[in-house]
Amino acid sequence: MKTQVERGGMRTTIQFRKSSRWVAWFAVSLLVVLLSACASPVSSGPATSASAPKQAQTKFGRYGARNDPGFRENAVPAYFPNSAIPPKYPEPKPQTHGLDLSKHDWQTAKAYFQWLCENEAGEFIYKTVEDVDSVFEMRPLPPTDRLGGPRYDRYYLEDPWNEMPRPQSGTFYSTSNPYFFVMPHNYRISHKDPGQWNQKGDYFHYTPEYGYPVFERISTPLDRKRYGDAPFTRFTRVWPTHPEYDRDEKGNIRMFQLREHLNGPSPERRKELSLDHLDFSSPDRKRYDEGMLASGHIIPKVEAVHEIKSRYGYMWRGIEHSPHDRELGIAGGEVLIFDLKTNEVLGVRRNFLLAGTYAGSRDVDWLTAQECTKFGFSLLEKKVLKSVDPYKNLNIK
C-alpha cells in the first residue's frame, strides 16, 4: 500500500506493509474494548456503589488470593460442650424451583434468590425457655469492619450477612462489651438538679431485664491477656449485691457511679489515663475497668475458666444450599440458639443476600447486597431465652 505525504512543500511517497496496518487496527480495537470495560462500574443487577475502592480492586492484603473458590476464611468453629451428641442443624428444604442453577446469569440469580426468600428465609422459634440465668456465645464473630478485600470477595467470607455491619438486620450480636451485656443501661441519665450535669447525685438508668446475669464466651486473645489464660471467660453481674444501689422516687433501680462520682475515678485520674478516649484493646485490666466505670458501666466479676456452666448458647454460621450459590452472587447466613445439653436447635433466624457484580471483574459487594428481610434491632436469643427476673426477691430501698 502506497500513500503520499506532503512535508515542507515536498511530496513524499510512503509505502506501508500490509501487516503493519493490521497491527495498528488490532491495537486500536484493543484500546476501545478496554475503555468500554472500564466505562460502566456495575453490570445489571442490584445497585452497588458507583465504583469499587482501588484497594478492593487491586489488593487483598493479608487475606491472600481473591475470588478463589478454594480460598475461604478460617473462622473459629462453634464449641459444643456435649461432644457425644452431634448438633442437629436445620435441614434445607428440597429445591423445587425448577431452575438450572448452572446458568450463572443474572435472571437465574434473581429467580433463585426470590425462591430462597420465600421458602427458606425467616425466623423460626421451636421452643422458648424461661428464667435463663446464663448464656454462652458458642462462636466468636470475626471483626465486622473488614471493608477492604473481604467485602468484595465472592468466596472468602463464610457468612457475609452476619460478618458485615448491618444495622436493623437482626444479625448475630457480637458481645464486644460483655460489661454492657450482663448489666445494660438505656443511656438515660437522671440529674440531681435539672439542667445541671455531672453532679454527685446523677445516675444512669440500668435495665438488667435486658441482659443475663452470667455471660460466657470462648476466650479471645485479649481476654487471655486481660483476665487470665484459660479457654473460656465468664462475666457475672455483681448486682444486686453491690452496695451503691437504691431506688429513685419512681422505683427505678439506680447506681451512683456516673463519671467521677462516688466510686468512679477522679478527674485527675481520668486525665492521667485519658479515659475519655478509652483504649478498648488495652490488656491492662485496671485501666480498662476504670474507663468502663467512668463511662457508667458496672464492673462485673470476671473469671478465666476451663469449663462453662451455661445450659444454653447461641452462634452464627454461613450456609450454601447449592454449589452455585456464590457463582450467582448469593450467600446465606443463620443465627442459631442451642440447648447445650441435647444440642437441639431452639430457634433459628435465616437470611440470604444477593450481590451485584462489578463490570470487568469477579468482585461483588456484600455490604450493599440485597437482603431477603430485615429483622430490626431485636435479638433472637432474647426471644428464645427469657432472662430470669432480676427484680425478683430484690430488697433495695
Side-chain angles (χ1 to χ4, degrees):
M1 177 180 178
K2 296 182 179 179
T3 188
Q4 291 183 340
V5 180
E6 187 170 340
R7 295 178 181 174
M10 298 181 62
R11 181 165 294 182
T12 305
T13 301
I14 302 176
Q15 181 172 353
F16 288 97
R17 301 174 74 179
K18 210 169 189 180
S19 59
S20 299
R21 181 181 62 179
W22 283 105
V23 170
W25 178 87
F26 178 77
V28 172
S29 300
L30 180 60
L31 180 61
V32 171
V33 170
L34 290 175
L35 291 174
S36 299
C38 297
S40 176
V42 292
S43 64
S44 61
T48 60
S49 54
S51 61
K54 287 184 177 180
Q55 180 181 5
Q57 291 180 349
T58 60
K59 297 180 180 179
F60 206 154
R62 61 190 176 91
Y63 297 101
R66 298 179 58 246
N67 290 318
D68 178 358
F71 189 78
R72 302 291 186 98
E73 73 174 325
N74 187 23
V76 176
Y79 175 75
F80 291 85
N82 185 4
S83 58
I85 303 177
K88 304 170 184 176
Y89 290 106
E91 292 289 337
K93 293 183 178 180
Q95 304 238 346
T96 57
H97 45 68
L99 299 168
D100 182 2
L101 300 183
S102 64
K103 294 181 179 179
H104 299 158
D105 57 60
W106 179 239
Q107 295 302 320
T108 301
K110 287 197 298 182
Y112 180 44
F113 176 70
Q114 185 65 30
W115 185 89
L116 290 171
C117 292
E118 294 174 355
N119 293 273
E120 288 281 1
E123 185 175 279
F124 310 94
I125 297 177
Y126 310 117
K127 182 181 178 181
T128 59
V129 184
E130 302 290 335
D131 296 330
V132 176
D133 61 0
S134 180
V135 294
F136 172 53
E137 184 186 81
M138 304 165 61
R139 190 182 190 196
L141 189 69
T144 58
D145 58 354
R146 296 175 294 171
L147 301 183
R151 168 181 170 178
Y152 298 96
D153 191 278
R154 185 178 293 268
Y155 305 101
Y156 181 76
L157 294 177
E158 177 187 332
D159 182 356
W161 177 57
N162 277 307
E163 293 186 72
M164 287 281 105
R166 297 182 178 281
Q168 301 188 52
S169 289
T171 52
F172 181 85
Y173 178 72
S174 179
T175 47
S176 58
N177 183 356
Y179 292 15
F180 183 85
F181 191 76
V182 297
M183 187 58 167
H185 61 69
N186 57 14
Y187 295 98
R188 288 180 54 232
I189 302 174
S190 287
H191 305 286
K192 182 179 180 181
D193 297 319
Q196 300 296 320
W197 290 72
N198 292 336
Q199 297 188 81
K200 195 167 184 178
D202 295 349
Y203 62 92
F204 277 108
H205 289 259
Y206 294 93
T207 52
E209 63 271 22
Y210 295 117
Y212 296 94
V214 177
F215 167 71
E216 298 175 309
R217 70 180 179 188
I218 297 173
S219 294
T220 66
L222 186 57
D223 286 341
R224 291 176 179 266
K225 293 178 182 178
R226 187 182 288 163
Y227 306 114
D229 191 11
F232 308 104
T233 305
R234 178 180 300 144
F235 302 83
T236 304
R237 182 190 299 162
V238 297
W239 184 81
T241 60
H242 198 286
E244 292 176 2
Y245 289 97
D246 71 353
R247 293 182 184 270
D248 64 12
E249 65 280 359
K250 295 182 180 179
N252 295 314
I253 302 297
R254 62 183 178 180
M255 179 178 178
F256 296 103
Q257 65 169 56
L258 175 61
R259 299 293 177 182
E260 63 267 25
H261 308 136
L262 295 181
N263 55 348
S266 66
E268 293 76 18
R269 182 63 173 160
R270 286 176 57 82
K271 185 176 180 180
E272 176 187 349
L273 298 177
S274 299
L275 295 177
D276 284 315
H277 305 283
L278 175 65
D279 180 8
F280 288 95
S281 63
S282 173
D284 185 337
R285 179 174 180 177
K286 182 179 179 181
R287 176 171 180 174
Y288 179 76
D289 284 354
E290 283 191 298
M292 297 300 285
L293 184 66
S295 301
H297 292 287
I298 296 173
I299 309 304
K301 176 184 177 182
V302 187
E303 305 167 90
V305 297
H306 292 270
E307 292 182 355
I308 66 168
K309 68 176 185 179
S310 300
R311 168 71 185 268
Y312 304 100
Y314 63 103
M315 61 168 284
W316 65 277
R317 72 165 185 160
I319 54 174
E320 294 180 27
H321 285 348
S322 87
H324 304 281
D325 284 14
R326 293 301 176 95
E327 286 293 332
L328 293 167
I330 292 174
E334 292 180 335
V335 178
L336 303 111
I337 313 298
F338 275 92
D339 181 328
L340 298 178
K341 184 177 181 180
T342 63
N343 285 347
E344 177 184 7
V345 175
L346 304 181
V348 59
R349 182 178 283 179
R350 186 181 302 117
N351 212 352
F352 295 89
L353 304 179
L354 175 62
T357 301
Y358 282 94
S361 76
R362 299 275 292 153
D363 290 1
V364 296
D365 190 346
W366 294 120
L367 183 62
T368 61
Q370 180 181 348
E371 299 177 70
C372 285
T373 185
K374 288 184 177 292
F375 298 98
F377 289 108
S378 65
L379 300 179
L380 181 62
E381 56 267 28
K382 299 297 177 63
K383 292 185 175 182
V384 176
L385 307 175
K386 311 291 186 178
S387 177
V388 63
D389 182 1
Y391 304 105
K392 188 176 183 180
N393 301 322
L394 184 61
N395 184 22
I396 294 181
K397 296 181 180 181

